[in-house]
Amino acid sequence: MIELSQQQREIIEAPLNPMAVTACAGSGKTATAVRRLAAMRKQLNDRHGHVALLSFSNVAVDTFNRDFDALLQAEPGSKRAGGVEISTVDAFVTSNIIRPHGHLVMRCSRTPFLVHGTEPFLTNFSVWDGKRPQPTTALQPVVVKGEGLQFEVGRAKTVVDRKTATEAIKKLAGVGAYSHALGNIWALKVLMNQPLIRRALARRYPHILVDEAQDIGKLHQLILMSLQGAGAQVSLIGDVNQGIYEFSGATGAFLKQYADRDDVDVRTLETNFRSVPSIVKIANKLSGRDDKPERTKPEISSG
C-alpha cells in the first residue's frame, strides 16, 4: 500500500458531490482516482446505481482495473464490488448509448456498427468537398464557437458544406454505419431527443468520474453535461498541462471552466512524487504552477 498525502486523502474521503481535481505530473492521480472510486461506491446508498470511472486509453483502463482489484484484495474478505464500471469514454458511450439506442436517431433497422473506413461497401458512401469526392467516414465534426457544428475533411481540413455533409452522414447512418468521429454526434442526438433514455442513464450512473479530463473534447463535454443535466454527478481529474488530444479539439478548457462552477468541489494535487526538484522547478516555470517535489536533490545527477 502506498502512503497517501493529505490532499489525496481529502479527495478520496470527500462527500459525494461533483468535483474538479487539478493534479500535477507525478502527483498520484491513478492511486487517487482508484481509491476515490472505491470510496464513492461505499458511500453510494443505491443498489441500482453504478459508479463509472472513465479514461481515454485502454492502457489507463487496464491500470485502473489492476489497481482496483489489488486494492480490494488488500482488504480481508473483500471481492470485486458490483456497481462499478471502469471503461474508456468511447467504450462507455458506445455500449450505453450508440449500440442500444443509436437506431432511434440514425433511422436504421439494425444495431449501429462502427466502421474504420476500409470496408469495401463504403465505396458507395462519399461526400463532395467542393473539388472532389471524399469518403464520408473521413468527415470530422468540429464545434465552432458561435457557429455550431461544422465538418472538415482531409489534411487541409477543408470545410464541407453543412447540408452536403449532413446528407452524406444520414445516408451512411441509414445502413447502421458510423465512424469513430461521427459516433459522438449520434450519441448526443440520442440524449437530446430521448429524454427517457437520458434520465435512465443518469439513474444507472449517478456518479461519473473522468480521469485525464484535460483530454475531454467538445462533443464528449456535451454528452457528459447532458447526463449531468438529467441528474448524474460528474467529477473530473486531470492536468491541463498534460493534454495529448489537442488534435481532436481537447484543450483543457472544460476542466478549467468546470472548476469555476459554484456547485463543484475544487481540489488540487500539488506534490510531485516522481521527479527530482530540478525537474519540478523547470516544469513550474513552463506551466506557471507552484508544485512541490517530494524527492530530495540526488547526490549524483543522471544527466
Side-chain angles (χ1 to χ4, degrees), residues 165-185:
T166 300
E167 290 176 351
I169 293 168
K170 286 182 177 178
K171 180 183 176 183
L172 181 65
V175 299
Y178 66 92
S179 68
H180 179 79
L182 300 176
N184 289 322
I185 295 177

PDB file of all heavy atoms in Angstrom, residues 165-185:
ATOM      1  N   ALA A 165     -22.689  17.701 -46.055  1.00  0.00           N
ATOM      2  CA  ALA A 165     -22.128  16.764 -45.089  1.00  0.00           C
ATOM      3  C   ALA A 165     -23.230  16.036 -44.326  1.00  0.00           C
ATOM      4  O   ALA A 165     -23.161  14.816 -44.120  1.00  0.00           O
ATOM      5  CB  ALA A 165     -21.222  17.513 -44.109  1.00  0.00           C
ATOM      6  N   THR A 166     -24.260  16.771 -43.927  1.00  0.00           N
ATOM      7  CA  THR A 166     -25.349  16.163 -43.164  1.00  0.00           C
ATOM      8  C   THR A 166     -26.066  15.091 -43.968  1.00  0.00           C
ATOM      9  O   THR A 166     -26.388  14.012 -43.452  1.00  0.00           O
ATOM     10  CB  THR A 166     -26.356  17.252 -42.728  1.00  0.00           C
ATOM     11  OG1 THR A 166     -25.681  18.214 -41.907  1.00  0.00           O
ATOM     12  CG2 THR A 166     -27.494  16.633 -41.931  1.00  0.00           C
ATOM     13  N   GLU A 167     -26.309  15.358 -45.234  1.00  0.00           N
ATOM     14  CA  GLU A 167     -26.983  14.370 -46.090  1.00  0.00           C
ATOM     15  C   GLU A 167     -26.128  13.117 -46.253  1.00  0.00           C
ATOM     16  O   GLU A 167     -26.643  11.993 -46.242  1.00  0.00           O
ATOM     17  CB  GLU A 167     -27.285  14.996 -47.452  1.00  0.00           C
ATOM     18  CG  GLU A 167     -28.382  16.055 -47.398  1.00  0.00           C
ATOM     19  CD  GLU A 167     -28.600  16.734 -48.746  1.00  0.00           C
ATOM     20  OE1 GLU A 167     -27.769  16.496 -49.670  1.00  0.00           O
ATOM     21  OE2 GLU A 167     -29.576  17.494 -48.871  1.00  0.00           O
ATOM     22  N   ALA A 168     -24.814  13.294 -46.407  1.00  0.00           N
ATOM     23  CA  ALA A 168     -23.918  12.141 -46.559  1.00  0.00           C
ATOM     24  C   ALA A 168     -23.881  11.314 -45.277  1.00  0.00           C
ATOM     25  O   ALA A 168     -23.883  10.075 -45.320  1.00  0.00           O
ATOM     26  CB  ALA A 168     -22.516  12.624 -46.922  1.00  0.00           C
ATOM     27  N   ILE A 169     -23.866  11.987 -44.132  1.00  0.00           N
ATOM     28  CA  ILE A 169     -23.828  11.289 -42.848  1.00  0.00           C
ATOM     29  C   ILE A 169     -25.117  10.512 -42.624  1.00  0.00           C
ATOM     30  O   ILE A 169     -25.105   9.370 -42.140  1.00  0.00           O
ATOM     31  CB  ILE A 169     -23.584  12.295 -41.705  1.00  0.00           C
ATOM     32  CG1 ILE A 169     -22.179  12.881 -41.820  1.00  0.00           C
ATOM     33  CG2 ILE A 169     -23.765  11.625 -40.344  1.00  0.00           C
ATOM     34  CD1 ILE A 169     -21.938  14.072 -40.927  1.00  0.00           C
ATOM     35  N   LYS A 170     -26.248  11.113 -42.971  1.00  0.00           N
ATOM     36  CA  LYS A 170     -27.537  10.431 -42.817  1.00  0.00           C
ATOM     37  C   LYS A 170     -27.621   9.205 -43.728  1.00  0.00           C
ATOM     38  O   LYS A 170     -28.185   8.173 -43.342  1.00  0.00           O
ATOM     39  CB  LYS A 170     -28.677  11.400 -43.139  1.00  0.00           C
ATOM     40  CG  LYS A 170     -28.920  12.438 -42.066  1.00  0.00           C
ATOM     41  CD  LYS A 170     -30.102  13.338 -42.437  1.00  0.00           C
ATOM     42  CE  LYS A 170     -30.403  14.348 -41.339  1.00  0.00           C
ATOM     43  NZ  LYS A 170     -31.524  15.243 -41.717  1.00  0.00           N
ATOM     44  N   LYS A 171     -27.069   9.316 -44.931  1.00  0.00           N
ATOM     45  CA  LYS A 171     -27.078   8.172 -45.848  1.00  0.00           C
ATOM     46  C   LYS A 171     -26.278   7.009 -45.258  1.00  0.00           C
ATOM     47  O   LYS A 171     -26.711   5.847 -45.304  1.00  0.00           O
ATOM     48  CB  LYS A 171     -26.490   8.581 -47.205  1.00  0.00           C
ATOM     49  CG  LYS A 171     -26.462   7.448 -48.231  1.00  0.00           C
ATOM     50  CD  LYS A 171     -25.814   7.891 -49.535  1.00  0.00           C
ATOM     51  CE  LYS A 171     -25.703   6.717 -50.515  1.00  0.00           C
ATOM     52  NZ  LYS A 171     -25.014   7.118 -51.774  1.00  0.00           N
ATOM     53  N   LEU A 172     -25.106   7.318 -44.685  1.00  0.00           N
ATOM     54  CA  LEU A 172     -24.289   6.283 -44.051  1.00  0.00           C
ATOM     55  C   LEU A 172     -25.013   5.693 -42.845  1.00  0.00           C
ATOM     56  O   LEU A 172     -25.015   4.473 -42.632  1.00  0.00           O
ATOM     57  CB  LEU A 172     -22.945   6.885 -43.619  1.00  0.00           C
ATOM     58  CG  LEU A 172     -21.940   5.934 -42.962  1.00  0.00           C
ATOM     59  CD1 LEU A 172     -21.486   4.865 -43.942  1.00  0.00           C
ATOM     60  CD2 LEU A 172     -20.732   6.719 -42.435  1.00  0.00           C
ATOM     61  N   ALA A 173     -25.660   6.560 -42.076  1.00  0.00           N
ATOM     62  CA  ALA A 173     -26.386   6.098 -40.894  1.00  0.00           C
ATOM     63  C   ALA A 173     -27.564   5.206 -41.260  1.00  0.00           C
ATOM     64  O   ALA A 173     -27.956   4.335 -40.475  1.00  0.00           O
ATOM     65  CB  ALA A 173     -26.882   7.300 -40.083  1.00  0.00           C
ATOM     66  N   GLY A 174     -28.113   5.414 -42.437  1.00  0.00           N
ATOM     67  CA  GLY A 174     -29.275   4.633 -42.864  1.00  0.00           C
ATOM     68  C   GLY A 174     -29.007   3.151 -42.950  1.00  0.00           C
ATOM     69  O   GLY A 174     -29.934   2.336 -42.820  1.00  0.00           O
ATOM     70  N   VAL A 175     -27.741   2.759 -43.153  1.00  0.00           N
ATOM     71  CA  VAL A 175     -27.403   1.333 -43.173  1.00  0.00           C
ATOM     72  C   VAL A 175     -26.870   0.875 -41.818  1.00  0.00           C
ATOM     73  O   VAL A 175     -26.443  -0.267 -41.659  1.00  0.00           O
ATOM     74  CB  VAL A 175     -26.373   1.022 -44.285  1.00  0.00           C
ATOM     75  CG1 VAL A 175     -26.937   1.368 -45.656  1.00  0.00           C
ATOM     76  CG2 VAL A 175     -25.050   1.748 -44.041  1.00  0.00           C
ATOM     77  N   GLY A 176     -26.854   1.800 -40.850  1.00  0.00           N
ATOM     78  CA  GLY A 176     -26.420   1.460 -39.495  1.00  0.00           C
ATOM     79  C   GLY A 176     -24.961   1.727 -39.213  1.00  0.00           C
ATOM     80  O   GLY A 176     -24.470   1.385 -38.138  1.00  0.00           O
ATOM     81  N   ALA A 177     -24.240   2.361 -40.154  1.00  0.00           N
ATOM     82  CA  ALA A 177     -22.800   2.539 -40.005  1.00  0.00           C
ATOM     83  C   ALA A 177     -22.456   3.928 -39.467  1.00  0.00           C
ATOM     84  O   ALA A 177     -23.120   4.919 -39.778  1.00  0.00           O
ATOM     85  CB  ALA A 177     -22.104   2.320 -41.345  1.00  0.00           C
ATOM     86  N   TYR A 178     -21.415   3.986 -38.678  1.00  0.00           N
ATOM     87  CA  TYR A 178     -20.896   5.270 -38.204  1.00  0.00           C
ATOM     88  C   TYR A 178     -19.388   5.146 -38.021  1.00  0.00           C
ATOM     89  O   TYR A 178     -18.869   4.071 -37.733  1.00  0.00           O
ATOM     90  CB  TYR A 178     -21.560   5.688 -36.890  1.00  0.00           C
ATOM     91  CG  TYR A 178     -21.234   4.794 -35.711  1.00  0.00           C
ATOM     92  CD1 TYR A 178     -20.167   5.078 -34.860  1.00  0.00           C
ATOM     93  CD2 TYR A 178     -21.984   3.651 -35.444  1.00  0.00           C
ATOM     94  CE1 TYR A 178     -19.862   4.262 -33.783  1.00  0.00           C
ATOM     95  CE2 TYR A 178     -21.686   2.826 -34.370  1.00  0.00           C
ATOM     96  CZ  TYR A 178     -20.624   3.137 -33.540  1.00  0.00           C
ATOM     97  OH  TYR A 178     -20.324   2.321 -32.482  1.00  0.00           O
ATOM     98  N   SER A 179     -18.681   6.242 -38.202  1.00  0.00           N
ATOM     99  CA  SER A 179     -17.241   6.256 -37.966  1.00  0.00           C
ATOM    100  C   SER A 179     -16.971   6.635 -36.517  1.00  0.00           C
ATOM    101  O   SER A 179     -17.862   7.082 -35.789  1.00  0.00           O
ATOM    102  CB  SER A 179     -16.568   7.275 -38.896  1.00  0.00           C
ATOM    103  OG  SER A 179     -16.958   8.595 -38.533  1.00  0.00           O
ATOM    104  N   HIS A 180     -15.719   6.475 -36.109  1.00  0.00           N
ATOM    105  CA  HIS A 180     -15.358   6.830 -34.735  1.00  0.00           C
ATOM    106  C   HIS A 180     -15.691   8.290 -34.453  1.00  0.00           C
ATOM    107  O   HIS A 180     -16.239   8.627 -33.396  1.00  0.00           O
ATOM    108  CB  HIS A 180     -13.868   6.581 -34.518  1.00  0.00           C
ATOM    109  CG  HIS A 180     -13.378   6.922 -33.149  1.00  0.00           C
ATOM    110  ND1 HIS A 180     -13.559   6.109 -32.061  1.00  0.00           N
ATOM    111  CD2 HIS A 180     -12.717   8.025 -32.684  1.00  0.00           C
ATOM    112  CE1 HIS A 180     -13.039   6.679 -30.985  1.00  0.00           C
ATOM    113  NE2 HIS A 180     -12.524   7.831 -31.339  1.00  0.00           N
ATOM    114  N   ALA A 181     -15.397   9.177 -35.426  1.00  0.00           N
ATOM    115  CA  ALA A 181     -15.627  10.608 -35.214  1.00  0.00           C
ATOM    116  C   ALA A 181     -17.105  10.957 -35.193  1.00  0.00           C
ATOM    117  O   ALA A 181     -17.529  11.850 -34.455  1.00  0.00           O
ATOM    118  CB  ALA A 181     -14.924  11.412 -36.310  1.00  0.00           C
ATOM    119  N   LEU A 182     -17.908  10.252 -35.991  1.00  0.00           N
ATOM    120  CA  LEU A 182     -19.325  10.580 -36.089  1.00  0.00           C
ATOM    121  C   LEU A 182     -20.173   9.946 -34.994  1.00  0.00           C
ATOM    122  O   LEU A 182     -21.308  10.360 -34.753  1.00  0.00           O
ATOM    123  CB  LEU A 182     -19.868  10.153 -37.460  1.00  0.00           C
ATOM    124  CG  LEU A 182     -19.203  10.816 -38.668  1.00  0.00           C
ATOM    125  CD1 LEU A 182     -19.774  10.237 -39.965  1.00  0.00           C
ATOM    126  CD2 LEU A 182     -19.392  12.324 -38.633  1.00  0.00           C
ATOM    127  N   GLY A 183     -19.631   8.950 -34.299  1.00  0.00           N
ATOM    128  CA  GLY A 183     -20.404   8.263 -33.270  1.00  0.00           C
ATOM    129  C   GLY A 183     -20.866   9.188 -32.162  1.00  0.00           C
ATOM    130  O   GLY A 183     -21.988   9.068 -31.656  1.00  0.00           O
ATOM    131  N   ASN A 184     -20.013  10.140 -31.772  1.00  0.00           N
ATOM    132  CA  ASN A 184     -20.384  11.044 -30.685  1.00  0.00           C
ATOM    133  C   ASN A 184     -21.559  11.942 -31.069  1.00  0.00           C
ATOM    134  O   ASN A 184     -22.333  12.362 -30.204  1.00  0.00           O
ATOM    135  CB  ASN A 184     -19.185  11.896 -30.276  1.00  0.00           C
ATOM    136  CG  ASN A 184     -18.125  11.095 -29.559  1.00  0.00           C
ATOM    137  OD1 ASN A 184     -18.429  10.214 -28.771  1.00  0.00           O
ATOM    138  ND2 ASN A 184     -16.867  11.388 -29.845  1.00  0.00           N
ATOM    139  N   ILE A 185     -21.686  12.254 -32.369  1.00  0.00           N
ATOM    140  CA  ILE A 185     -22.831  13.053 -32.811  1.00  0.00           C
ATOM    141  C   ILE A 185     -24.119  12.295 -32.588  1.00  0.00           C
ATOM    142  O   ILE A 185     -25.102  12.837 -32.053  1.00  0.00           O
ATOM    143  CB  ILE A 185     -22.684  13.427 -34.306  1.00  0.00           C
ATOM    144  CG1 ILE A 185     -21.492  14.347 -34.509  1.00  0.00           C
ATOM    145  CG2 ILE A 185     -23.959  14.089 -34.819  1.00  0.00           C
ATOM    146  CD1 ILE A 185     -21.241  14.701 -35.950  1.00  0.00           C
TER     147      ILE A 185
END
